[in-house]
Amino acid sequence: MKLAFYLYLLHLGLSSLFGHARARGGESRSLSSAGFATDGYAGVARHLFGERPAVSSDVARGYMTNSDLEKAVKAFDRRCGNISRIYSIGKSVDGVPLWVIEISDKPGIEEAEPAFKFVGNVHGDEPVGRELLMLLANWICDNYLKDPLAKMIVENVHLHLLPSMNPDGFTLRRRGNANNIDLNRDFPDQFFPMNEDISSRQPETRAIMRWLREIHFTASASLHGGALVANYPWDGTEDRRRHYFASPDDETFRFMSSIYSRSHRNMSLSKEFEGGITNGAAWYPIYGGMQDWNYIHGGCFELTLEISDNKWPNASELPTLWEYNKRSMLNLVASVIKTGVHGRIYSSDSGRPLPGFVLIKGINSTQIKASRGLADYHRMLAPGAKYEVVASMPGYKPKTTTIWLEEGAMTLDFILDPIATTVENQLKSICDCSCSGRSSIELMGFVWNAHLGVYFLLVIIVLAFICILFRRRMPVLKHRQTGVLKKSIVV
């Protein structure tokens, strides 16, 4: 294992001597909202279709216009409304609605299920994603009653599709938005103080950030063009140098990236990226990117997927690109229910759901927050390893359990005990006294008289009742295992 890792690092070092396909950095210089220039890169690229003839000057021919896309979204909602709803998360600089399709058997209803989002057309001149997301939505609608994977997704995931994050850039045929800002450099950065001024942040960026505050997404992917690789965090480095810079969940991100790459027709066969996946900083560092921000601030495991060598391929190639990426897209969405650890958090005293937190010991990453209403959590993890899972909630004692995660997902519920207050401790002392037979009789004999007997008798009855309620707060441990799905309750 170590040998393979060192060989991988050697590969990265040697590859820095040669040119690379560049997609996240673009082919021209544009600005982030913080004023940072994004250097253009030239380089070789892998092609799915061999040498192409010169592209027509009207590169958008055969692609949906923004008006066409809006009509397609609304037509889908009318046709497949039993498993979908549509909504807008905001508007672009030029006022174009940012439409989202949610696909689920109970769209718009909170369930104890993970949520996944795809974001297309982040860069205006990379439109393949917007076409593929509409194809994905319609394929699921047409096949969820007969295809097991589509059925699994509809019944167990809330899938959200944003076909175009940058409709203005699409219209202008350029990378940036209407203000010529690269939206994938417009998010707050973990290493450098950029994009901190909310007023200067682009409306499309603010819409994404607001979206993550409203919905907790377990995982996500944005679709780009210009290369063929699955890119994972970190995207930047502390010293701005190009080298492999692993996130705390590096193994999990490599696992997720490999799901996409290996399900793809030829992404995993790449000669430039081993296995068809790459650490972003090892490819080339970027700052202010959406991918890292999702992971840090939303607890959302996001990948950046480069799905076509050509940024804007001829529209005649779209059916082939769809066939090459279809199974990858479906398998990546399904991974949020087929792998990882999932469960709910409850209070031992009342049984009510607790919107607590779940972390993995030894992985110094953002805690995963359980939902406010149902207290369900969904934590992506690479299989084939032992993990210590910790659940916590302010005012409650944390609980820790060790699991061995195999290929299938594991369901792990937690029951947390409240931290006893001073008043509760005093009540416990009174209960211990008043509930012991001899002490009660002696106390009654001492206070029994014509004036106070009835009063103290009532007091003792009330204390005995409190004692019974207090002692019923005893944890119960349950454990059962069925098939490949394991379920445990930690009390």
Side-chain angles (χ1 to χ4, degrees):
M1 191 70 183
K2 289 184 177 180
L3 178 60
F5 178 73
Y6 290 133
L7 288 174
Y8 179 64
L9 292 180
L10 177 62
H11 162 75
L12 293 175
L14 291 175
S15 63
S16 66
L17 300 176
F18 303 96
H20 286 269
R22 305 284 182 170
R24 295 177 306 149
E27 297 174 351
S28 60
R29 291 178 64 87
S30 59
L31 296 177
S32 70
S33 63
F36 284 77
T38 59
D39 292 315
Y41 293 93
V44 298
R46 296 155 309 288
H47 294 286
L48 295 172
F49 307 94
E51 293 301 320
R52 299 184 179 86
V55 179
S56 167
S57 58
D58 186 8
V59 292
R61 183 177 299 152
Y63 285 81
M64 289 181 287
T65 65
N66 289 333
S67 177
D68 293 336
L69 180 59
E70 182 172 7
K71 290 177 182 177
V73 168
K74 293 180 177 180
F76 174 85
D77 186 52
R78 289 191 297 271
R79 187 172 76 88
C80 308
N82 59 319
I83 61 162
S84 71
R85 72 177 178 112
I86 62 172
Y87 63 98
S88 172
I89 61 171
K91 293 184 177 181
S92 68
V93 173
D94 289 340
V96 180
L98 304 178
W99 289 107
V100 175
I101 297 172
E102 179 188 1
I103 296 177
S104 167
D105 58 347
K106 296 179 181 178
I109 298 175
E110 185 179 10
E111 297 184 274
E113 296 179 353
F116 186 102
K117 64 179 168 69
F118 273 121
V119 178
N121 203 197
V122 178
H123 294 134
D125 59 349
E126 298 171 15
V128 172
R130 58 193 268 150
E131 299 283 340
L132 263 56
L133 289 182
M134 289 309 303
L135 289 168
L136 175 65
N138 281 285
W139 186 90
I140 291 176
C141 180
D142 293 337
N143 292 276
Y144 79 97
L145 292 177
K146 54 188 177 183
D147 183 89
L149 191 55
K151 181 180 175 67
M152 177 187 295
I153 290 171
V154 170
E155 294 181 349
N156 298 282
V157 181
H158 283 258
L159 173 60
H160 299 254
L161 309 176
L162 172 60
S164 180
M165 178 182 170
N166 187 5
D168 299 346
F170 172 84
T171 298
L172 295 168
R173 314 286 193 267
R174 72 182 184 197
R175 181 180 181 83
N177 68 350
N179 292 329
N180 201 26
I181 298 297
D182 186 333
L183 298 179
N184 202 32
R185 307 294 186 275
D186 194 43
F187 289 82
D189 190 78
Q190 63 173 322
F191 299 122
F192 301 102
M194 55 190 297
N195 305 325
E196 299 296 334
D197 183 5
I198 297 177
S199 62
S200 65
R201 204 168 289 150
Q202 299 303 297
E204 299 91 343
T205 308
R206 292 198 302 268
I208 294 290
M209 297 173 72
R210 186 169 56 249
W211 195 19
L212 260 73
R213 288 194 296 268
E214 296 170 354
I215 301 175
H216 174 64
F217 292 99
T218 301
S220 173
S222 63
L223 304 180
H224 296 253
L228 195 62
V229 67
N231 178 99
Y232 56 89
W234 294 123
D235 261 344
T237 60
E238 294 177 290
D239 57 7
R240 290 188 178 273
R241 297 175 60 189
R242 175 177 171 243
H243 57 83
Y244 196 109
F245 201 58
S247 72
D249 282 288
D250 190 62
E251 286 299 320
T252 299
F253 276 116
R254 289 174 60 87
F255 169 70
M256 293 173 61
S257 300
S258 294
I259 288 176
Y260 198 93
S261 175
R262 291 172 183 171
S263 302
H264 191 276
R265 175 70 174 269
N266 58 359
M267 185 180 287
S268 64
L269 304 178
S270 171
K271 295 182 180 179
E272 295 182 47
F273 304 102
E274 184 177 347
I277 66 175
T278 185
N279 172 263
W283 188 7
Y284 61 96
I286 70 169
Y287 302 93
M290 183 168 68
Q291 173 181 267
D292 289 3
W293 184 88
N294 267 265
Y295 175 51
I296 296 169
H297 297 281
C300 175
F301 286 64
E302 176 156 301
L303 303 178
T304 301
L305 303 174
E306 305 284 352
I307 57 174
S308 64
D309 301 318
N310 192 338
K311 284 175 170 287
W312 205 315
N314 191 288
S316 63
E317 297 177 2
L318 290 173
T320 303
L321 287 167
W322 161 239
E323 288 301 321
Y324 280 21
N325 286 277
K326 176 177 68 177
R327 191 54 53 178
S328 295
M329 297 170 77
L330 292 167
N331 285 340
L332 184 60
V333 175
S335 71
V336 299
I337 51 174
K338 296 174 71 174
T339 61
V341 61
H342 312 259
R344 300 175 71 180
I345 305 174
Y346 301 94
S347 172
S348 65
D349 61 343
S350 63
R352 72 180 186 276
L354 297 176
F357 300 88
V358 171
L359 63 83
I360 308 299
K361 277 191 177 180
I363 300 180
N364 185 27
S365 64
T366 304
Q367 296 183 102
I368 300 300
K369 193 177 189 310
S371 69
R372 181 169 296 277
L374 300 176
D376 60 305
Y377 72 90
H378 309 275
R379 214 304 183 173
M380 299 297 293
L381 287 170
K386 183 172 72 173
Y387 298 99
E388 282 190 79
V389 188
V390 183
S392 63
M393 173 76 182
Y396 288 79
K397 299 175 184 177
K399 291 284 177 66
T400 302
T401 187
T402 300
I403 64 170
W404 176 264
L405 189 63
E406 298 177 351
E407 292 301 319
M410 174 176 282
T411 298
L412 185 66
D413 293 338
F414 286 90
I415 299 177
L416 304 185
D417 298 322
I419 297 174
T421 64
T422 302
V423 173
E424 286 178 317
N425 287 329
Q426 290 175 350
L427 283 174
K428 186 177 186 299
S429 298
I430 294 173
C431 283
D432 289 342
C433 173
S434 62
C435 289
S436 62
R438 183 179 178 186
S439 297
S440 298
I441 294 172
E442 290 176 352
L443 180 60
M444 289 175 65
F446 178 76
V447 301
W448 188 268
N449 59 61
H451 299 92
L452 301 176
V454 175
Y455 172 76
F456 276 93
L457 180 60
L458 291 173
V459 170
I460 291 172
I461 291 173
V462 170
L463 291 175
F465 181 71
I466 294 174
C467 175
I468 291 171
L469 291 178
F470 192 85
R471 289 188 171 184
R472 289 181 67 184
R473 292 167 52 181
M474 296 181 63
V476 179
L477 177 64
K478 300 178 181 178
H479 181 86
R480 74 177 185 270
Q481 178 173 327
T482 57
V484 296
L485 178 64
K486 297 179 180 178
K487 181 168 184 176
S488 299
I489 302 178
V490 180
V491 299

